Amino acid sequence: MNNYDKTIVDINNLYLSIAQWIFPKIPDSPNETLLILDTLTAVDIQVETLYSQALNDILSTSSQAQVISIIKSLKNIPLALEPYLRANSNYKEIRIALVRVYQRQAIQNNSETAVKYLFALCLDNSRDITLDASAAILDLTEKLQLSASDFLPIVNNTKISGVRNNCLKSLINIVENGNNINDTDIVNVCTALINDNSPETLRPLYKLIECWVQTNNHISDTLATVTFELTNRLVSRCGCNLLDAAIAQSTYITLKNIANLEYAHLNTQLGLSVRNLLRHTDVRTVNILFVIGLLDKIAKIDLDFLVHIVHEDLVTDNGVLPLYNLDAIVVAIFHNQGKYSKLLDEILADERLPLEVKSKIIREREE
């Protein structure tokens, strides 16, 4: 072996040599030495065996307060520490450490058992642990093939919106990666969350449906019906108020993806949902061109769609639609029926509607 090769070997074993030198000194300075071993483990996996042994020795002779303090200070949790952690999992800090151990086991060993334990921790009685566990699972969906059906018990039973959000983002990853998920899984998730009002839940829920439609270029009648019901219930809970802009945008995008499929048998339900949404949103906060495209797409299949909007939706018990909504409807009529449409004549004759909208029609006709 030449000097160059020997230097490489020495460097490769440097961290292990340092750890072996430190190990006998642990009883005299446990905090300092553990910190060094913790750091060395991050850069050299060979150190982990010594690190695990040192931790086991110290933790087994420490008080509860000391154990919790040590565990909280660790950046790297050795996998060999799992039996100790499981035996003491009545402490919150220990369970947080277990989340990190199970995450590593799932990635390094492709351990189905570790994944199962992570799903169980998503329903822990500690909010911090449920969020950590669901975030770990979200990370795993980018590395492993997880089954969508395992998420339903979490979605059904968790009270933490952040956990639902992580589960929905995980399911989106599963759809985008073409992994183990089917139409029924998404229907079940939508059904479980159909009365949820939280933007943190609704935005990724609509995104999940959108991704499914885009990936498969298809939507089943069952999933479409649940989507329309989700939208109609969402709107009905608004009362006289406008829908949150972020939720409205997610909803419009999902409905536009369904409209792009041009499934004529869904058009009536789709049109009703879009009309409900139009009455309870200000499209200025969404994207007026996007909404115009959606209205025009439906009108090409349902010839009475724009007629119903002009006759029933421009002025409701809640008052006149927002100006940008009226503009979107007028432009959709331009595209679909031309600038001399009788529907536009009706808008011009309606004294309740603002002059700005009528001026738009007049300007278009004068050009």
Side-chain angles (χ1 to χ4, degrees), residues 8 75 78 173 190 208 214 216 254 292 304 348:
I8 294 176
K75 294 181 180 179
N173 283 344
C190 290
L208 173 61
Q214 286 184 336
N216 296 278
T254 300
I292 291 168
D304 292 326
L348 287 171

Side-chain angles (χ1 to χ4, degrees), residues 17 49 55 88-89 132 203 243 265 282 296:
S17 299
T49 301
L55 276 172
N88 294 274
S89 60
D132 277 6
R203 291 187 69 185
L243 193 62
H265 69 288
D282 186 339
D296 187 46

Side-chain angles (χ1 to χ4, degrees), residues 125-346:
N125 56 18
S126 164
R127 182 178 184 276
D128 291 340
I129 292 169
T130 62
L131 289 171
D132 277 6
S134 60
I137 287 175
L138 173 58
D139 176 71
L140 292 181
T141 58
E142 298 176 356
K143 301 176 175 69
L144 304 174
Q145 291 191 3
L146 302 186
S147 175
S149 59
D150 290 333
F151 289 87
L152 187 59
I154 314 301
V155 170
N156 267 322
N157 294 295
T158 184
K159 296 179 180 179
I160 310 299
S161 60
V163 173
R164 287 192 293 273
N165 182 272
N166 283 333
C167 286
L168 291 168
K169 288 179 178 177
S170 296
L171 290 169
I172 290 168
N173 283 344
I174 291 174
V175 171
E176 290 179 337
N177 294 331
N179 292 337
N180 189 12
I181 188 168
N182 57 48
D183 184 276
T184 302
D185 293 320
I186 300 177
V187 169
N188 289 338
V189 169
C190 290
T191 302
L193 299 175
I194 201 162
N195 292 314
D196 198 309
N197 289 324
S198 166
E200 196 174 10
T201 297
L202 289 170
R203 291 187 69 185
L205 181 58
Y206 275 107
K207 180 66 176 178
L208 173 61
I209 302 168
E210 174 199 341
C211 286
W212 176 260
V213 174
Q214 286 184 336
T215 301
N216 296 278
N217 198 32
H218 169 72
I219 189 169
S220 70
D221 290 357
T222 304
L223 180 54
T225 299
V226 170
T227 304
F228 301 145
E229 178 66 15
L230 175 69
T231 303
N232 296 336
R233 288 195 186 199
L234 175 63
V235 168
S236 69
R237 291 195 296 266
C238 289
C240 298
N241 300 316
L242 293 177
L243 193 62
D244 174 84
I247 296 176
Q249 184 170 30
S250 298
T251 309
Y252 274 119
I253 291 171
T254 300
L255 295 180
K256 179 64 161 59
N257 275 273
I258 296 175
N260 288 341
L261 296 173
E262 298 184 352
Y263 287 178
H265 69 288
L266 296 178
N267 220 52
T268 299
Q269 288 178 284
L270 173 61
L272 288 172
S273 288
V274 171
R275 288 175 58 198
N276 280 335
L277 197 58
L278 200 61
R279 289 194 293 265
H280 290 84
T281 55
D282 186 339
V283 302
R284 175 179 51 181
T285 65
V286 185
N287 182 323
I288 188 169
L289 294 177
F290 190 90
V291 174
I292 291 168
L294 173 58
L295 298 177
D296 187 46
K297 176 70 74 171
I298 298 173
K300 286 179 179 176
I301 299 176
D302 183 352
L303 301 181
D304 292 326
F305 176 63
L306 293 173
V307 175
H308 288 305
I309 289 179
V310 171
H311 290 172
E312 302 169 27
D313 300 339
L314 302 187
V315 183
T316 68
D317 292 340
N318 295 334
V320 179
L321 285 183
L323 181 60
Y324 278 78
N325 297 37
L326 295 172
D327 280 348
I329 293 165
V330 166
V331 175
I333 295 172
F334 288 158
H335 290 174
N336 187 260
Q337 299 185 9
K339 60 185 177 182
Y340 293 105
S341 165
K342 291 182 179 180
L343 292 179
L344 297 176
D345 291 337
E346 293 181 35

